[in-house]
Amino acid sequence: MRFVHDTLPQRVTFGSGEAAAHLEREVAALGASRVMVIASKREMDTAERLTGNLRVLLRYDDVVMHVPVEVAARAREAAATHSVDAIVSVGGGSTTGLAKAIALTTGLPVVAVPTTYAGSEATAVWGLTEGNRKTTGTDPRVLPKVVVYDATLTLTLPVPVSVASGLNALAHCVDAMWAPKADPINAALAAEGIRSLAAGLPKVVTDPFDLNGREMALYASYLSAVAFASAGSGLHHKICHVLGGAYNLPHAQTHAVVLPYVLAFNGPAAPEAAHRIAAAFGTNRAIDGLEDLRREIGAPHALRDYGFAEDQIPAAAEAILPAVPESNPRPVTVAGLERLLRAAWSGADPKSAV
Ligand code: NAD
């Protein structure tokens, strides 16, 4: 066994109902006393409740998915005007993304309180959108110093959003198995992430207020993000990145739909990865484990339901190809990508369509 593995420096606290206390302790430990709180309008009440004991100079709710550059510029200016010395973000990946955009140019420490399973809080990846072009990069300054997990904050996440977001986390795990920097450490994290999502998500769907199911999903979303941050973007993330940026498709739902097609495409060419994924699901074949789970939780199943048009497939395939990692276990061609996208567009059976 030979590998080189980087572990990102980050403190993680996990406790249901404990976010306010953890935030107070962690912000004090950072020595911060001029806090900017970022939350979307929907999450601002929750954010106010959690940050009541902090010295907050600015509450900021101008959050937009995929962080348009002009939104980032306004938020940076607001942070500078108030001379804040730390950012607390409360929300999903869009909110964490705005905090990261500020940290990218200011170096301000971020304490992230995630309320979805997107996992942005555990990566050093930032994303900004200009027009319909999404740019991403990696920078240690954007990695939140602390993540405060509290599963009670996810109880309000509607079931369809929970399902899509949970499958976004599952996609981090599956793609980590063959991404360019895949190694035994991130594979182990990814496998535990798959196991915990497969156990937790059905509980969330059966009873959205089942705290145990929510905790399993949230714990798994952290593992998935650590695995993804370490292994890098594989074929799945490259496809979804182009679809999200160029066609403005919703992030989590796009991941949820595309994942089985990438697994069906790559799985047979990556037997060890497929075996690990299957073992984590407790099935003989990886694709069966994923499809069983998707059926059980009512997963989104066709890109055409999310605004992607059939006649956009050829251009999308051309745009994806140059980004596909050379190390992908199966050779990728424009024709192969078109077949995959056509299947994902229509929601065809992944086992026979790619
Ligand atoms: P999101 O943050 O846009 O949230 C989705 C919706 O759920 C929003 O309407 C939000 O207000 C609502 N919501 C969030 N938490 C809620 C709660 N607890 N209860 C009720 N409603 C709630 O979506 P997302 O999928 O979490 O994040 C997507 C964004 O994150 C994308 O821009 C994506 O590129 C980015 N992302 C980045 C990384 C990274 O490593 N940089 C990783 C994953 C995702």
Side-chain angles (χ1 to χ4, degrees):
M1 214 186 256
R2 285 180 82 223
F3 59 87
V4 176
H5 178 90
D6 290 311
T7 299
L8 298 177
Q10 187 176 59
R11 185 174 166 87
V12 175
T13 76
F14 199 107
S16 294
E18 296 177 23
H22 288 175
L23 268 177
E24 190 177 355
R25 188 187 67 203
E26 298 304 328
V27 169
L30 288 174
S33 58
R34 303 176 62 85
V35 173
M36 173 179 188
V37 173
I38 304 180
S40 69
K41 289 179 182 59
R42 192 201 306 248
E43 277 81 55
M44 192 50 95
D45 281 352
T46 304
E48 279 183 18
R49 180 169 56 78
L50 299 182
T51 55
N53 289 333
L54 305 182
R55 183 157 180 260
V56 177
L57 269 74
L58 176 62
R59 297 189 190 278
Y60 198 84
D61 67 7
D62 185 13
V63 173
V64 181
M65 172 115 78
H66 301 315
V67 199
V69 284
E70 58 278 11
V71 171
R74 281 200 298 273
R76 288 167 179 157
E77 200 179 312
T81 303
H82 290 79
S83 303
V84 304
D85 61 5
I87 304 167
V88 171
S89 64
V90 180
S94 301
T95 308
T96 314
L98 183 59
K100 286 176 155 184
I102 302 172
L104 182 64
T105 53
T106 61
L108 284 167
V110 175
V111 179
V113 187
T115 62
T116 69
Y117 308 126
S120 174
E121 67 279 0
T123 81
V125 179
W126 54 266
L128 288 165
T129 310
E130 193 161 12
N132 63 358
R133 219 176 130 254
K134 185 167 177 183
T135 310
T136 58
T138 303
D139 192 306
R141 280 177 301 179
V142 310
L143 179 73
K145 295 277 176 289
V146 186
V147 186
V148 172
Y149 285 110
D150 178 342
T152 62
L153 305 177
T154 63
L155 294 175
T156 49
L157 198 62
V159 166
V161 186
S162 303
V163 166
S165 192
L167 289 170
N168 183 186
L170 194 66
H172 293 325
C173 297
V174 170
D175 215 29
M177 296 289 187
W178 45 60
K181 291 187 287 167
D183 67 39
I185 296 179
N186 46 48
L189 295 168
E192 170 64 358
I194 293 170
R195 190 202 60 76
S196 194
L197 283 163
L201 289 178
K203 289 180 177 228
V204 169
V205 170
T206 308
D207 176 7
F209 296 99
D210 179 328
L211 194 54
N212 179 247
R214 292 289 189 182
E215 285 182 337
M216 292 175 95
L218 196 58
Y219 156 70
S221 74
Y222 167 71
L223 295 177
S224 81
V226 176
F228 164 61
S230 159
S233 289
L235 175 63
H236 173 86
H237 279 79
K238 296 301 183 187
I239 292 173
C240 293
H241 179 81
V242 169
L243 294 179
Y247 305 98
N248 200 27
L249 302 189
H251 179 82
Q253 289 81 353
T254 303
H255 278 267
V257 171
V258 170
L259 182 60
Y261 301 99
V262 174
L263 178 55
F265 182 85
N266 266 354
E272 201 181 316
H275 176 74
R276 282 195 100 123
I277 296 166
F281 277 121
T283 49
N284 285 331
R285 293 203 312 158
I287 189 69
D288 291 339
L290 178 59
E291 285 298 86
D292 290 351
L293 176 67
R294 285 171 46 80
R295 214 171 296 113
E296 190 176 359
I297 64 179
H301 76 285
L303 288 178
R304 65 177 165 196
D305 298 339
Y306 296 96
F308 188 53
E310 190 174 13
D311 62 9
Q312 290 171 323
I313 290 172
E318 294 280 357
I320 292 162
L321 189 66
V324 174
E326 275 180 26
S327 58
N328 192 63
R330 179 170 164 185
V332 181
T333 60
V334 168
L337 283 170
E338 280 196 27
R339 202 161 46 248
L340 190 156
L341 288 176
R342 206 167 294 284
W345 171 81
S346 67
D349 181 355
K351 291 183 216 172
S352 52
V354 297

